Amino acid sequence: TLFRSSPPASVEKPPRDPRGVNDYLTVDFSDVLAEPGSFHSFDKVWTWSDILFEATKLWCYRIISLLCAVPISLLNGFLFALVGCLHIWCAMPCIQLCTICMPPVRTLWASILDVVIAPFCASIGRCCSLIYLTVAKG
């Protein structure tokens, strides 16, 4: 045949989530539905419920991803390209500019602290050092 609907059994599919980004999304039938020991449905009802749950989950995901994957991929591609472009052409030049301009600003700020703020705080500390509080129970 010219076309195959599925790969041969010997060919293994590559993992689609090699880094385990969405490992928490693994949901099985037993994670959603469980019967306690005091309640049991018929065995066939439980088995068919499990089969229908898994099949419905699989096919609904496939249909929804068929309808949504391409537009959302286009949108995500655009957003990541925009963020990358802004990072490369706007954010990094601003960060480099700040890195270049910071030493003089740091020197100026240290001078302001040494000349204005430090003497003021020292004066307030000396004034307040003469205050004593005593607590009396009574």
Side-chain angles (χ1 to χ4, degrees):
T1 63
L2 293 174
F3 300 101
R4 288 185 182 207
S5 60
S6 62
S10 63
V11 176
E12 208 173 298
K13 292 182 181 178
R16 293 187 182 182
D17 190 9
R19 293 189 181 110
V21 175
N22 293 314
D23 281 345
Y24 64 94
L25 287 177
T26 304
V27 178
D28 292 324
F29 180 71
S30 60
D31 295 331
V32 178
L33 298 170
E35 290 181 333
S38 59
F39 295 100
H40 281 281
S41 61
F42 295 111
D43 288 340
K44 293 293 182 189
V45 170
W46 186 255
T47 303
W48 279 100
S49 297
D50 186 2
I51 292 169
L52 287 172
F53 175 84
E54 295 297 335
T56 304
K57 180 180 75 168
L58 173 69
W59 284 102
C60 286
Y61 175 78
R62 286 180 176 177
I63 292 168
I64 292 168
S65 64
L66 175 70
L67 297 173
C68 298
V70 173
I72 291 175
S73 295
L74 287 171
L75 179 65
N76 284 334
F78 174 76
L79 290 175
F80 277 96
L82 179 66
V83 168
C85 184
L86 290 174
H87 180 77
I88 291 168
W89 295 103
C90 296
M92 286 310 293
C94 289
I95 291 170
Q96 289 298 329
L97 183 65
C98 289
T99 303
I100 291 170
C101 294
M102 272 301 143
V105 171
R106 188 178 327 139
T107 304
L108 178 65
W109 182 250
S111 298
I112 291 171
L113 289 176
D114 287 341
V115 171
V116 178
I117 305 296
F120 176 74
C121 290
S123 298
I124 296 295
R126 285 187 183 139
C127 291
C128 293
S129 68
L130 299 175
I131 299 174
Y132 292 100
L133 294 178
T134 53
V135 178
K137 292 184 180 180

